[in-house]
């Protein structure tokens, strides 16, 4: 906190996210403490918070526990309490059982339960109230991601003096899919409480603008949305009211036909593609111990000619099944052989309390067992499956060990793994096979872009990657690295916040 500043004054920059910027850790002596989260978002925002009296509002990860606000490494942390039932209904339920599959092209069927939405609304209100309590007059509040889409409008009602940004880290669905959501108007009005709404891709911003136009009838002029200022906070469909309906659509349609900019608030919705902490990854990739670990990994795999790597959360959106099917067929057709090629699949545990994730885990493990049972030799394995999370040092070693990176997501807001692999390739070698349905595909055009639903196309890309001429591979990777290194996560955060300040 700056010298002479009191808690009553509030904080000039407030981040609101589902999780705090720290994780609870157990020390060697058995005591517990806090450690800064390693994620890219925290890495990007921590220096900005230290320079501008920053506070971070989020859940601390333990249900049924209430903690007082505390300071850690130049950040004021405000824990938001959640009950075990709220974690089940708000987080596992509405956030990840309803919104996540709906926003990822309904790859899995979303469930719509009214009590889930009621928990979501209640928890979003709690986050908004905590943010309102710590924000200084005229401060900037940046709300993060799909778990908190109602917070901007709630916060604007509580604190009309603050400037509000929102960033959606996952895709935003086309209007036809979004229309399935029973609480679609509540979500749209919740997001429109922000001054600036950021998305990963231009298509996501367009989908949101079209949804606002189609469902609410508001006038959209390029990236700017005219939100009528006479809209009442407790109108039917307001996120503050807790229910949804096609309220005043005729009035909204007339607003679209002849906008009165004097009675409208401008909200901007546009893309700000997120990136990674390239400096840290580049430094790790140059460390002698990590380079040695990469060589050790290849030896542990039996020194295959080609190491193919997949790194994902165990999620049905990541295309892990498609990747394994393509690899299995290449082995069956003898276009690849065990010993010549090995697929390493890191699948970190994810949402293990959700049934669809449990079923996916079982299916992946059965596939690995079947493929290895058919193709393994005494000295080599076909698929090395690792259902663990690893520290960044080990991940960079894996990136260095891998000749080919397979990113086959069926739908992904960005996919930072693709960028991490590119940043780690110090020798400008290695090949990236990248799904066109990731946000990263908009920027990393020199990758081998594929439709992961087309197994034959995926197989052809894998073979091309394995057999690619080294000069071609270096030329592609050089362009990819230049893009990733010049557009890091700190630049992303600065560009978003600078634009918000200008509005």
């Amino acid at each position: 906190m700056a010298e002479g500043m009191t808690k009553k004054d509030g904080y000039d920059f407030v981040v609101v996210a589902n999780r705090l910027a720290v994780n609870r850790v157990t020390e060697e002596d058995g005591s517990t403490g806090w450690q800064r989260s390693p994620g890219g978002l925290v890495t990007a925002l921590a220096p900005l918070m230290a320079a501008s009296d920053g506070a971070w509002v989020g859940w601390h990860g333990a249900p049924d526990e209430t903690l007082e606000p505390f300071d850690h490494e130049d950040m004021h942390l405000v824990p938001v309490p959640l009950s075990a039932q709220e974690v089940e209904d708000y987080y596992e339920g509405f956030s990840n059982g309803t919104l996540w599959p709906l926003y990822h092209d309904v790859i899995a069927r979303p469930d719509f339960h009214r009590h889930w939405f009621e928990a979501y609304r209640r928890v979003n209100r709690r986050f908004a109230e905590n943010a309102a309590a710590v924000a200084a007059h005229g401060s900037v509040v940046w709300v993060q991601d799909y778990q908190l889409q109602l917070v901007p409008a709630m916060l604007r009602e509580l604190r009309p003096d603050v400037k509000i940004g929102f960033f959606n880290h996952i895709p935003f669905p086309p209007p036809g899919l979004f229309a399935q959501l029973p609480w679609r108007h509540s979500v749209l009005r919740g997001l429109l409480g922000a001054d600036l709404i950021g998305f990963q891709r231009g298509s996501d911003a367009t989908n949101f603008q079209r949804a606002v136009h189609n469902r609410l009838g508001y006038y959209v002029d390029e990236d700017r949305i005219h939100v009528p200022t006479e809209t009442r906070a407790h109108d039917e469909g307001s996120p503050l009211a807790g229910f949804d309906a096609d309220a005043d659509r005729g009035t909204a349609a007339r607003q679209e036909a002849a906008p009165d900019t004097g009675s409208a608030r401008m909200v901007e919705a546009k893309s700000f593609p997120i990136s990674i902490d390239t400096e840290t990854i580049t430094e790790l990739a140059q460390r002698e111990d990590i380079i040695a670990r990469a060589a050790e990994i290849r030896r542990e795999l039996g020194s295959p000619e080609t190491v193919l790597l997949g790194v994902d959360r165990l999620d049905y959106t990541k295309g892990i099944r498609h990747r394994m099917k393509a690899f299995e067929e290449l082995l069956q057709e003898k276009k690849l052989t065990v010993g010549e090629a090995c697929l390493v699949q890191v699948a970190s545990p994810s949402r293990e309390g959700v049934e669809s994730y449990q079923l996916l885990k079982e299916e992946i493990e059965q596939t690995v067992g079947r493929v290895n049972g058919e193709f393994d030799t005494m000295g080599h394995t076909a698929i090395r499956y690792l259902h663990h999370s690893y520290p960044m040092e080990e991940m960079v070693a894996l990136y260095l060990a891998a000749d080919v990176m397979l990113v086959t997501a069926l739908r992904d807001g960005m996919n930072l793994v693709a960028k991490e692999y590119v940043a780690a390739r110090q020798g400008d070698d290695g090949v990236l096979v990248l799904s066109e349905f990731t946000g990263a595909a908009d920027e990393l055009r020199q990758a081998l872009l594929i439709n992961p639903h087309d197994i034959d196309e995926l197989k052809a890309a894998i073979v091309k990657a394995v057999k690619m001429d080294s000069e071609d591979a270096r030329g592609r990777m050089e362009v990819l690295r230049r893009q990733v290194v010049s557009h890091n996560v700190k630049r992303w955060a600065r560009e978003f916040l600078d634009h918000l300040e200008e509005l």
Side-chain angles (χ1 to χ4, degrees):
M1 188 178 297
E3 185 177 355
M5 184 178 184
T6 67
K7 290 185 178 180
K8 185 177 180 180
D9 296 323
Y11 294 83
D12 297 328
F13 178 43
V14 179
V15 173
V16 188
N18 178 61
R19 290 297 298 268
L20 280 182
V22 294
N23 296 320
R24 182 179 271 154
V25 294
T26 302
E27 307 293 349
E28 292 182 1
D29 61 2
S31 63
T32 59
W34 299 96
Q35 185 178 72
R36 182 185 291 183
S37 301
L41 183 65
V42 179
T43 299
L45 299 184
L48 300 177
M49 303 190 84
S52 58
D53 298 316
W56 192 297
V57 177
W59 180 46
H60 60 282
D64 297 319
E65 181 183 44
T66 300
L67 297 179
E68 292 297 319
F70 61 97
D71 295 321
H72 184 271
E73 293 184 4
D74 297 321
M75 283 190 287
H76 183 66
L77 301 171
V78 183
V80 178
L82 296 179
S83 69
Q85 188 63 52
E86 286 171 337
V87 173
E88 181 178 336
D89 293 340
Y90 144 77
Y91 182 71
E92 294 181 353
F94 193 76
S95 295
N96 294 314
T98 301
L99 293 176
W100 180 270
L102 183 69
Y103 282 31
H104 286 85
D105 292 352
V106 194
I107 294 169
R109 181 180 62 84
D111 293 319
F112 304 115
H113 298 299
R114 285 170 289 184
H115 71 281
W116 282 2
F117 179 72
E118 284 303 312
Y120 184 82
R121 181 178 61 83
R122 184 172 64 253
V123 169
N124 272 238
R125 164 63 76 172
R126 192 176 305 148
F127 274 82
E129 290 172 344
N130 276 272
V134 297
H137 183 81
S139 63
V140 170
V141 181
W142 194 1
V143 185
Q144 304 290 330
D145 223 2
Y146 66 105
Q147 303 97 340
L148 302 174
Q149 291 177 108
L150 307 185
V151 167
M154 293 173 169
L155 181 60
R156 181 162 296 281
E157 182 193 42
L158 296 167
R159 293 290 305 274
D161 60 291
V162 303
K163 188 165 287 189
I164 304 170
F166 181 92
F167 191 81
N168 197 63
H169 291 261
I170 68 173
F172 195 88
L177 289 181
F178 182 73
Q180 296 181 25
L181 183 66
W183 308 278
R184 56 205 178 182
H185 299 94
S186 292
V187 168
L188 292 176
R189 289 189 173 110
L191 291 169
L192 289 171
D195 298 290
L196 175 62
I197 308 170
F199 298 90
Q200 300 282 25
R201 311 180 81 170
S203 57
D204 295 324
T206 299
N207 286 342
F208 174 75
Q209 295 163 11
R210 290 171 59 202
V212 169
H213 174 80
N214 293 347
R215 306 313 314 179
L216 302 179
Y218 293 170
Y219 180 72
V220 179
D221 179 16
E222 295 183 344
D223 294 331
R224 292 172 296 175
I225 300 168
H226 296 239
V227 179
T229 55
E230 68 271 16
T231 299
R232 298 182 304 278
H234 290 279
D235 276 348
E236 214 174 6
S238 165
L240 310 182
F243 57 90
D244 199 64
D246 290 325
D248 297 328
R249 291 195 65 201
T251 302
R254 289 192 293 276
Q255 160 76 16
E256 185 278 331
D260 178 4
T261 57
S263 63
R265 183 174 61 85
M266 295 298 107
V267 176
E268 193 159 339
K270 60 182 300 181
S271 64
F272 294 87
I274 198 171
S275 193
I276 59 171
D277 179 12
T278 55
E279 293 179 5
T280 296
I281 292 177
T282 298
E283 290 172 1
L284 290 173
Q286 294 173 341
R287 274 175 37 182
E288 292 185 4
D289 60 324
I290 292 179
I291 294 172
R293 174 59 186 149
E296 183 182 20
I297 288 171
R298 293 187 70 97
R299 289 194 298 271
E300 290 174 351
L301 295 172
S303 299
E305 296 176 27
T306 303
V307 175
L308 301 102
L309 176 63
V311 176
D312 312 88
R313 284 188 309 103
L314 190 59
D315 192 287
Y316 49 76
T317 64
K318 301 300 183 181
I320 300 173
R321 290 173 292 194
H322 299 64
R323 184 182 313 158
M324 289 186 175
K325 181 176 178 61
F327 185 66
E328 180 181 13
E329 290 189 6
L330 288 172
L331 293 177
Q332 291 170 342
E333 296 164 3
K334 300 190 185 315
K335 293 180 180 177
L336 293 177
T337 60
V338 173
E340 174 192 20
C342 175
L343 171 61
V344 178
Q345 177 61 58
V346 177
S348 58
S350 174
R351 299 167 190 161
E352 294 181 302
V354 180
E355 182 181 6
S356 59
Y357 288 79
Q358 296 169 355
L359 295 174
L360 175 64
K361 179 176 180 289
E362 293 174 4
E363 182 179 350
I364 295 299
E365 289 173 351
Q366 290 172 2
T367 300
V368 172
R370 183 185 68 249
V371 173
N372 287 345
E374 182 175 355
F375 295 103
D376 274 8
T377 67
M378 293 298 291
H380 298 90
T381 190
I383 301 176
R384 182 66 62 86
Y385 176 67
L386 305 167
H387 185 50
H388 306 288
S389 296
Y390 292 98
M392 183 53 71
E393 290 83 357
E394 183 73 359
M395 293 310 306
V396 172
L398 280 165
Y399 294 146
L400 292 177
D403 304 288
V404 178
M405 185 80 207
L406 301 178
V407 178
T408 59
L410 307 181
R411 190 76 165 95
D412 219 335
M414 177 53 64
N415 195 285
L416 297 179
V417 164
K419 294 187 175 184
E420 289 175 354
Y421 177 74
V422 169
R425 304 304 298 185
Q426 298 296 297
D428 286 337
D429 57 353
V431 182
L432 174 63
V433 176
L434 180 62
S435 166
E436 65 188 64
F437 301 119
T438 64
D442 289 353
E443 302 173 271
L444 306 182
R445 307 301 298 177
Q446 290 299 312
L448 297 182
L449 299 179
I450 52 95
N451 173 1
H453 298 281
D454 186 340
I455 300 300
D456 287 334
E457 181 177 293
L458 176 54
K459 288 162 57 180
I462 292 173
V463 171
K464 181 176 180 179
V466 170
K467 301 184 181 300
M468 183 175 291
D469 176 76
S470 59
E471 185 175 345
D472 186 9
R474 280 195 299 272
R476 289 172 178 268
M477 188 57 68
E478 183 179 357
V479 175
L480 293 175
R481 288 198 75 247
R482 190 181 308 126
Q483 166 66 29
V484 171
V485 170
S486 63
H487 294 78
N488 62 25
V489 71
K490 293 179 182 178
R491 175 173 170 175
W492 164 80
R494 190 70 269 166
E495 287 180 350
F496 183 95
L497 292 171
D498 285 347
H499 198 78
L500 178 59
E501 289 282 2
E502 293 168 2
L503 293 179

